[in-house]
């Protein structure tokens, strides 16, 4: 446990410069955009006199050089203040906190679906590499991995919402339904079924392929031969010896895919009109809301770092070799 | 001296013996043919109105796949869209691999503080979702084909950079690098002429995956209305068809199949390529 905690501290410290680069980088990237938040606001209200422009710039903190504004931004970040959203006319932190749970539910369910089903099917494929089952699953997963998630979402809508009428086409829950507790949870799950499938199926293919490749390699190891020499059954070796060892890299992949999945949720939430974090990013781009977009980039970087920390911790607990030499050093 | 000349031919031979590689090459050849023949088969602007709106597919011989909401030829859009997808995919992969390999080689070779600083930048780029980065970049620089290519490369160069650095670190200790140093070659010359070519094969295997991803990201950007508005892309066709998803689902489904075929072709080729490279390693 001590080992894991020290590893945690090291990782936390090393993520500080990374976050700083992200903040400064995204600040200057959006600094290059023509026009600022005051221009965007003026456009939305139809213009105004120079005095109003002056007052707006002052209230948004847009006066002074880029460096002084970066300093202002950094100091307000310490207070967890991400600034003011122009298009929503409210603090960005509250806005993001409000939208984040929807996305976390979407991503969490998609991860759960893809990880469990993907690794299970990967075990089926990898327990006999080269068999017809393996070839079917491998080819099928490669084809699935080539599908754009937003298009898969549209196909699912056509089949399951328009034709079969099993699921709703959009939204996170029935509006003004007055449902509470379990009934509301069921309603949300019903709305999330298609988006979770659209986002999760692609990663399911990824986990399936990784599990299969890992197992195919593990069969060639000495311990597989040793287990067979001891007279253990094929299925028992496949599940308890081969699959167990092939599972660890999948945990790492979980962390590596966190960023890509967060990016994927932008399109999926836009297809299914889910008021989440990803859709907020698209709204920020459409409304030219640079402070909001900076905040979204920053929060997504923090999320990715946190997921990777959790994955590293899980890995350190699962595998006693991890971090052992880091502590000794 | 023989090995570097024969290696590409050997890899190609093994690629042609793997079913995945052949299937991938066939699909991509088909797409390249469609992309190249688009201006000949469908001259003129594919975004121009060609006939009655919303002609269903397989009803009018002039429009085998029908027309969209504004009466534009779907088949012409499909052929011209292949151009955009392949061009963006290849260009984005080329930019990210050249940039990444360069940064990775420099970091691996320089070592010390420069290496540390460059790798923190790589970390930072990997922490931000590539799609969000592309979204932000396009929104700042304005949607056009070169901007979309750069935006995609912005999120993809870190993979090649890491790989190139790891290769350099393992290669730089080898004897031929020491020999080059002994004969007085400049470190930059050693990096570019001795180390980089040797670090290249695994980077190329990664390339195919980057092309596939780039095609998918481009389509997603176009789908959200952030692609170049002056050219037809499969993503923008899907977005256009989405408005009539209930009455004319084929308008969204058909261009999506084009995307799946493209990306699948690239992935199959990658699988064949990695098989070919692996069997090279197995036989020393």
């Amino acid at each position: 446990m001590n080992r894991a905690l020290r590893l945690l501290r090291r990782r936390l410290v090393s993520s500080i410069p990374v976050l700083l680069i992200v903040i400064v980088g995204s600040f200057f990237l959006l600094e290059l955009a023509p026009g600022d938040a005051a221009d965007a606001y003026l456009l939305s209200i139809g213009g105004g006199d120079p005095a109003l422009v002056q007052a707006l710039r002052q209230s948004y903190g847009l006066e002074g050089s880029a460096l002084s504004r970066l300093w202002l931004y950094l100091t307000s970040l310490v207070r967890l203040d991400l600034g003011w959203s122009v298009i929503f006319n409210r603090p960005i932190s509250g806005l993001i906190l409000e939208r984040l749970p929807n996305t976390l539910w979407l991503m969490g369910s998609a991860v759960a679906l893809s990880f469990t089903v993907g690794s299970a099917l990967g075990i089926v494929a990898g327990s006999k590499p080269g068999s017809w089952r393996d070839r079917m699953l491998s080819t099928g997963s490669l084809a699935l991995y080539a599908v754009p998630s937003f298009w898969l979402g549209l196909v699912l809508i056509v089949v399951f919402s328009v034709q079969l009428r099993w699921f709703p086409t959009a939204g996170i829950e029935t509006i003004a339904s007055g449902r509470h507790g379990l009934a509301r949870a069921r309603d949300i799950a019903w709305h999330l079924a298609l988006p979770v499938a659209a986002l999760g199926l692609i990663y399911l293919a990824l986990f399936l392929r990784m599990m299969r490749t890992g197992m195919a390699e593990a069969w060639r190891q000495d311990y597989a031969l040793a287990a067979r020499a001891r007279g253990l059954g094929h299925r028992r070796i496949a599940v308890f010896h081969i699959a167990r060892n092939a599972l660890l890299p999948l945990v790492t992949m979980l962390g590596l895919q966190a960023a890509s999945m967060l990016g994927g949720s932008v399109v999926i939430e836009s297809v299914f009109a889910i008021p989440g974090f990803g859709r907020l990013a698209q709204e920020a781009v459409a409304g030219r809301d640079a402070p909001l977009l900076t905040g979204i980039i920053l929060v997504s970087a923090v999320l990715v770092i946190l997921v990777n920390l959790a994955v590293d911790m899980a890995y350190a607990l699962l595998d006693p070799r991890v971090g052992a030499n880091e502590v000794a050093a | 001296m023989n090995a570097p000349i024969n290696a590409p031919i050997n890899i190609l031979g093994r690629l042609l013996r793997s079913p995945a590689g052949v299937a991938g090459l066939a699909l991509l050849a088909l797409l390249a043919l469609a992309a190249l023949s688009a201006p000949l088969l469908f001259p003129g602007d594919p975004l121009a109105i060609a006939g009655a709106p919303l002609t269903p597919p397989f009803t009018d011989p002039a429009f085998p796949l029908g027309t969209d909401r504004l009466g534009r030829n779907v088949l012409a859009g499909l052929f011209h869209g292949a151009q955009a997808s392949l061009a963006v995919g290849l260009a984005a992969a080329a930019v990210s691999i050249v940039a990444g390999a360069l940064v990775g080689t420099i970091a691996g070779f320089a070592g010390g503080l420069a290496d540390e600083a460059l790798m923190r930048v790589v970390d930072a780029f990997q922490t931000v979702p590539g799609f969000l980065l592309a979204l932000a970049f396009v929104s700042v620089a304005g949607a056009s084909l070169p901007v979309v290519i750069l935006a995609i490369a912005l999120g993809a160069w870190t993979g090649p950079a890491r790989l190139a650095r790891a290769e350099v670190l393992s290669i730089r200790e080898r004897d031929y690098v020491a020999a080059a140093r002994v004969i007085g070659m400049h470190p930059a010359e050693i990096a570019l002429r001795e180390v980089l070519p040797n670090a290249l094969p695994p980077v190329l295997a990664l390339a195919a995956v980057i092309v596939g991803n780039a095609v998918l990201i481009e389509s997603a950007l176009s789908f959200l209305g952030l692609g170049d508005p002056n050219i037809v892309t499969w993503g923008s066709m899907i977005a256009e068809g989405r408005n009539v998803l209930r009455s004319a689902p084929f308008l969204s489904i058909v261009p999506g199949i084009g995307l799946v075929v493209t990306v699948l072709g690239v992935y199959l080729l990658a699988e064949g390529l990695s098989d070919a490279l692996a069997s090279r390693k197995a036989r020393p």
Side-chain angles (χ1 to χ4, degrees), chain A residues 174-239:
Chain A
T174 309
I175 294 165
S177 63
R179 288 192 181 90
H180 288 290
L182 211 58
R184 181 164 176 238
R186 243 196 346 244
D187 186 46
I188 292 178
W190 183 54
H191 277 81
L192 276 183
L194 292 187
V196 164
L199 188 61
L201 279 176
I202 280 118
Y203 294 95
L204 187 154
L206 183 71
F207 287 129
L208 195 167
R209 294 186 64 73
M210 264 200 92
M211 189 75 192
R212 189 247 161 222
T213 312
M215 281 180 77
E217 245 156 53
W219 279 112
R220 273 176 265 154
Q221 303 286 319
D222 290 339
Y223 66 83
L225 196 66
R228 203 171 303 181
R230 274 185 302 169
L232 299 179
H234 182 87
R235 187 165 297 184
R236 197 189 149 117
I237 301 175
V239 175

Side-chain angles (χ1 to χ4, degrees), chain A residues 142 151 209 259 270-271 304-305, chain B residues 127 129 242 252-253 256 268 271:
Chain A
L142 195 67
W151 180 74
R209 294 186 64 73
S270 143
V271 167
V304 170
I305 288 176
Chain B
T127 334
R242 188 188 169 193
S252 285
I253 290 176
L268 283 170
E271 193 155 275

Side-chain angles (χ1 to χ4, degrees), chain A residues 14 17-19 21-22 29-34 139 142-151 154-155 157-158 161-163 165 169 209 258-260 262-264 266-267 270-273 277-278 281-282 285 288 293 296-297 300-302 304-305, chain B residues 20 117 119-121 123-133 135-142 154 209 213 216 219-221 223-226 234-235 238-239 242 245-246 249 252-257 259-265 267-268 271:
Chain A
S14 71
V18 171
L19 262 183
I21 295 174
V22 169
L29 170 65
L30 296 171
E31 191 64 29
L32 295 174
T139 316
L142 195 67
L144 189 59
Y145 194 51
V147 174
S149 59
F150 64 92
W151 180 74
L154 289 176
V155 170
I157 288 179
V158 168
S161 302
V162 178
Q163 306 280 338
R165 295 173 182 274
T169 56
R209 294 186 64 73
S260 135
L262 204 53
V266 177
V267 214
S270 143
V271 167
F272 289 95
F277 182 70
Q282 204 221 330
V285 168
R288 301 196 152 272
L293 199 53
I296 288 169
I297 290 175
S300 62
V302 171
V304 170
I305 288 176
Chain B
M119 290 328 279
R120 286 295 84 75
V121 174
D123 281 344
F125 270 90
Q126 277 187 326
T127 334
V128 177
F131 188 68
L132 263 185
L133 205 57
L135 211 64
F137 188 73
V138 172
S139 83
V140 167
L154 218 51
V209 179
N213 257 326
L216 288 178
S219 71
L221 283 174
F223 177 72
L224 291 181
L226 287 166
W234 289 336
I238 295 174
R242 188 188 169 193
L245 193 64
R246 279 166 193 277
S252 285
I253 290 176
V254 166
I257 293 172
L259 280 171
V260 174
V261 168
T262 310
V263 180
L264 184 61
Y267 286 165
L268 283 170
E271 193 155 275

Side-chain angles (χ1 to χ4, degrees), chain B residues 19-88:
Chain B
V22 171
L25 275 178
L27 285 180
L28 291 179
L30 213 68
L31 282 160
L33 197 68
L36 291 175
S37 66
L40 301 172
L41 291 176
F42 303 99
D45 188 359
L47 289 172
I49 292 168
L54 290 175
T55 311
F58 314 122
T59 53
D60 186 340
F63 308 111
L65 289 177
T67 57
D68 72 359
R69 212 159 53 126
L70 296 175
R72 296 177 291 205
N73 190 347
V74 171
L75 193 63
L78 210 56
F79 271 62
H80 282 271
Q83 272 182 342
S85 276
L86 288 180
V88 169

